[in-house]
Structure formats: C-alpha cells, structure tokens
Amino acid sequence: MEGAKISLLITKDLVKWFGDTHAVDHVNFTVKESEVLALIGSNGAGKTTLVNLISTKQSVHGRIKAGIARSFQLVNLFDQLTARDNVALTIFSREGKIANLVALAASDSAVWDEAHEILKAFGLEAKARTLAGGVSQGERKLLDVAVAYALRPKLLFLDEPTSGVSTREKAPIMDTVTSVVRSTGISAAIIEHDMDVVFNYSDRIVAMHQGAILADGPPDEIRRNETVITNLIGTTEAR
C-alpha cells in the first residue's frame, strides 16, 4: 500500500519463561520506521521483559551496530560529570575512542560540538556545564534520553520517560523527546503507564496482557477497544 511504513524491527514467536510463568508468550512484535510506539500493560504484563529480550541480547557494541539504544526508568547517568561530559562520553564510546579518552578529550572538537548540539536539541544547552547530579528530575530524564540518542540509533527504547516527574513536567518532556525523534526520522518505542501521554504522543499502541499482545493499533482504535478498556485502561495503572 502506498505510504505504508517499512518494519524496522520484527520479532517472531518470542518466548521467555520465569519458572512456570510465561513472561513473554509467543510475541510477534514490530516497530515501524519513523514512528512513536507506546507499549502499555499492567504490572507483570511482559513489557519490560520483551524490551529486555530485544535490547540486551547483544553486547553494547552489538546494539550500537544494530542501531538500538535505550533509556531506563531509573536514570543511569554519571552524576559527577557535567551534562555535556555525559553526552560526549557516549559519543566517544560510539566512535570506539574510549581507550584514548583522556588524550582525545581536549583535542576532539567534533565530539564536543556534537554534544553541544544534542544538548541544545533537548533544551539542555544551559545545563551543559552543570553536574548531572545537580539538575532537576525532569532534566535528568531528558539528559538520559539525550545520552541514548547520542548513539545515533535507528530505534530508541524509552522506559517510562515521564515517571517520577511532576504532572506539569510531563508534556514538556514528551514535546521535546517526540520533536527530536520525529525531526530525525528515528523510531521510538516507549513503555509508559500514563494514559494521557500514551494517547497524546504515540502513533501506535501495543497493549500487552499476561505475556501476550492484547491489541495493536492507532490510539483511536485502542481507545475504543473493549478488551483493552476492561483489562488495562479501566485499571488505576496501565504499567
């Protein structure tokens, strides 16, 4: 069909057991090029396990080569380094320059220029020289995504990018993140429990329940899906 997007990632009958529990139960999951996908489900539905299976099977360099990057619900930054240093360190790693980091740090202006541009894209330019441990929680969330984005992925997995921040911070965070990923044409798959975020920012929603995909479709379709409403949206949390 004209205008149809190509699948960037496809899993076929993916399975993961934890004891007698089918955490991921023969899941066929796709992410298409240049889309923002939301992955929703109740606690234990299999969302994080699915993403772990996809994103942690390979080595770090293998994931970089495959074009996959990830941010985490619990932000993983070097708090004693500046925001710019955190991004630059990722760029050095991406380029395989970590072994010579000390020698290169002062002279590799291209890396520092790129780090500056990434911080600017995420609205963190003013925090470039601030220690990562000294920025606000919302800024830490953005910086964590910026660090993952610095790997130049084709597919970016984001694990609850708005968790732990105030309600008023959620929209600015998502405005920034989706603006960056859409403007650069990469795909983002977001694990998210806030249904306002899910319906306002995603192109497609995949709902999981008991390790299996319950529904897959555009927001308007998922919003009207009685099975999803009964099992997920009608609950206090869709985590």
Side-chain angles (χ1 to χ4, degrees):
M1 184 175 68
E2 187 177 355
K5 292 182 178 179
I6 298 171
S7 293
L8 183 66
L9 171 76
I10 302 173
T11 74
K12 184 173 178 59
D13 293 330
L14 204 59
V15 173
K16 177 66 177 181
W17 286 84
F18 289 116
D20 294 330
T21 302
H22 242 146
V24 175
D25 189 3
H26 296 88
V27 168
N28 298 311
F29 174 72
T30 65
V31 181
K32 298 174 184 177
E33 286 187 331
S34 305
E35 76 168 345
V36 176
L37 177 146
L39 186 59
I40 67 172
S42 58
N43 283 328
K47 308 178 304 301
T48 300
T49 303
L50 173 62
V51 172
N52 286 342
L53 286 173
I54 295 168
S55 64
T56 63
K57 186 175 181 180
Q58 302 183 67
S59 67
V60 173
H61 290 294
R63 291 196 300 274
I64 293 173
K65 186 175 181 180
I68 296 174
R70 182 178 179 184
S71 74
F72 293 87
Q73 181 179 359
L74 298 177
V75 174
N76 186 23
L77 298 170
F78 294 101
D79 285 347
Q80 298 307 312
L81 296 179
T82 67
R84 189 182 70 158
D85 287 345
N86 270 270
V87 176
L89 188 63
T90 301
I91 299 170
F92 278 119
S93 177
R94 184 194 75 206
E95 298 297 324
K97 297 178 178 179
I98 287 298
N100 298 313
L101 178 59
V102 174
L104 288 167
S107 60
D108 201 326
S109 60
V111 169
W112 299 110
D113 289 345
E114 183 179 348
H116 176 82
E117 289 303 313
I118 290 173
L119 289 174
K120 184 177 180 181
F122 281 88
L124 297 170
E125 185 178 10
K127 302 293 183 178
R129 298 186 182 278
T130 302
L131 294 182
V135 301
S136 71
Q137 180 63 13
E139 290 166 340
R140 285 176 63 79
K141 286 285 188 176
L142 283 173
L143 181 56
D144 195 41
V145 178
V147 167
Y149 175 81
L151 291 172
R152 292 184 181 171
K154 296 177 182 177
L155 172 57
L156 182 58
F157 283 107
L158 305 179
D159 194 345
E160 301 203 32
T162 68
S163 67
V165 304
S166 66
T167 301
R168 70 176 181 275
E169 290 179 289
K170 291 188 176 189
I173 289 172
M174 291 305 300
D175 286 342
T176 299
V177 170
T178 55
S179 175
V180 171
V181 299
R182 292 187 196 283
S183 67
T184 52
I186 67 176
S187 300
I190 304 173
I191 297 175
E192 184 57 64
H193 72 276
D194 187 311
M195 291 297 103
D196 287 335
V197 169
V198 168
F199 286 112
N200 287 331
Y201 291 95
S202 59
D203 302 314
R204 183 163 62 98
I205 299 171
V206 174
M208 291 190 69
H209 183 60
Q210 297 181 349
I213 291 181
L214 189 66
D216 180 347
D220 286 345
E221 179 182 308
I222 298 299
R223 194 190 297 273
R224 298 190 301 268
N225 187 303
E226 292 296 333
T227 305
V228 174
I229 292 170
T230 300
N231 288 279
L232 303 180
I233 299 177
T235 63
T236 56
E237 283 189 319
R239 296 174 70 92

